[in-house]
Amino acid sequence: THGDVAKGKVIAEQVCAACHGADGNSVASANPSLAGQHAKYLESQLKAFKSGERKNPIMLGMASSLSDADMKNVAEYFSEQKLKPRQANDKALLPAGQKLYKAGNPVTRVPACMACHGAAGKGYPAQYPALGSQHAAYIVKQLNDFKAGTDRKNPIMADVAMRMSDADMKAVAEYISGL
Ligand code: HEM
Ligand code: HEM
């Protein structure tokens, strides 16, 4: 069953817009854009914030005030918004970032991100989030969070991030932000 977009819009405009943009295109680089993201993924993250499995003090507060139905509705609303394309900031990092994204690194055994997040960065519903046109700084923080395993626990992404250097993360994040 799908969420109610009209009800989701009210929540988005009244509560989430300040940080994520009313249409899900965020301006500040710490706040992820939500536009066009798979609804199931958005819902799963809201549940994870509420239960404390994914730790973020701001989003704990936000998610705690949402019912299961609210989560479904607001996730549906954001998933239907149009993600604005973004240009990478640091173009010098793009070749290295593209290589890692598309082919991984056989030496350090980083898998190709493309396998799960798609060549165009659109991911695959419901489990694999879209990454394209996301803020690079947000991507780097998530990779570090997966690597540390304290604020964000996911066995697949922990294994990926564990194999990445800071330079790998920065390069792949720049590439992803321009996808
Ligand atoms: C992350 C939804 C309100 C700040 C997220 C994520 C979702 C979400 C689904 C995870 C996105 C992903 O994994 O790609 C919402 C909804 C809101 C809301 C539905 C309204 C009910 C806010 C507000 C703020 C905020 C008002 C700022 C005061 C953040 C930040 C993150 C985040 C900083 C990143 C957390 C991290 O680094 O892990 N939000 N949000 N959100 N949100 Fe919100
Ligand atoms: C989530 C990056 C490879 C499966 C994420 C997120 C990022 C990311 C930044 C969080 C998205 C968000 O918060 O909106 C990457 C990069 C990769 C890579 C840079 C390559 C170096 C893979 C591979 C798989 C995978 C190969 C599958 C085998 C997942 C899954 C999630 C995720 C399942 C969602 C985790 C959750 O529910 O919290 N990835 N990824 N990723 N990725 Fe990857």
Side-chain angles (χ1 to χ4, degrees), residues 4-84:
D4 182 326
V5 175
K7 286 184 180 162
K9 185 171 196 248
V10 175
I11 298 170
E13 287 178 349
Q14 292 182 350
V15 191
C16 327
C19 300
H20 295 286
D23 67 352
N25 286 282
S26 96
V27 177
S29 68
N31 305 339
S33 283
L34 306 176
Q37 184 59 272
H38 310 300
K40 279 275 173 218
Y41 170 77
L42 292 175
E43 198 183 339
S44 74
Q45 298 309 304
L46 289 169
K47 288 193 171 142
F49 284 127
K50 191 172 182 174
S51 74
E53 187 200 323
R54 179 172 173 183
K55 291 185 180 57
N56 180 267
I58 298 170
M59 282 308 303
L60 170 63
M62 296 297 149
S64 298
S65 69
L66 302 176
S67 67
D68 286 359
D70 291 338
M71 289 182 186
K72 199 182 246 323
N73 296 342
V74 79
E76 192 77 29
Y77 168 76
F78 279 122
S79 76
E80 293 201 354
Q81 304 310 302
K82 205 167 163 41
L83 182 64
K84 292 193 184 124

Side-chain angles (χ1 to χ4, degrees), residues 97-130:
Q98 179 175 41
K99 195 170 173 204
L100 198 60
Y101 191 86
K102 293 196 163 167
N105 183 338
V107 177
T108 51
R109 295 168 67 197
V110 177
C113 319
M114 191 175 89
C116 299
H117 296 286
K122 294 191 186 309
Y124 297 98
Q127 215 179 330
Y128 301 110

Side-chain angles (χ1 to χ4, degrees), residues 76-160:
E76 192 77 29
Y77 168 76
F78 279 122
S79 76
E80 293 201 354
Q81 304 310 302
K82 205 167 163 41
L83 182 64
K84 292 193 184 124
R86 193 186 300 282
Q87 299 274 313
N89 292 319
D90 191 344
K91 299 220 167 30
L93 294 174
L94 294 184
Q98 179 175 41
K99 195 170 173 204
L100 198 60
Y101 191 86
K102 293 196 163 167
N105 183 338
V107 177
T108 51
R109 295 168 67 197
V110 177
C113 319
M114 191 175 89
C116 299
H117 296 286
K122 294 191 186 309
Y124 297 98
Q127 215 179 330
Y128 301 110
L131 303 178
S133 299
Q134 189 56 274
H135 296 286
Y138 171 79
I139 297 282
V140 168
K141 177 178 182 283
Q142 300 314 304
L143 291 170
N144 279 310
D145 284 356
F146 285 128
K147 189 175 192 171
T150 312
D151 293 349
R152 208 171 169 182
K153 296 183 179 65
N154 179 270
I156 298 172
M157 281 308 303
D159 190 60
V160 173

Side-chain angles (χ1 to χ4, degrees), residues 158-178:
D159 190 60
V160 173
M162 208 175 69
R163 300 173 184 284
M164 298 175 79
S165 64
D166 289 352
D168 288 340
M169 290 183 186
K170 205 165 179 323
V172 85
E174 280 298 324
Y175 176 73
I176 286 168
S177 73

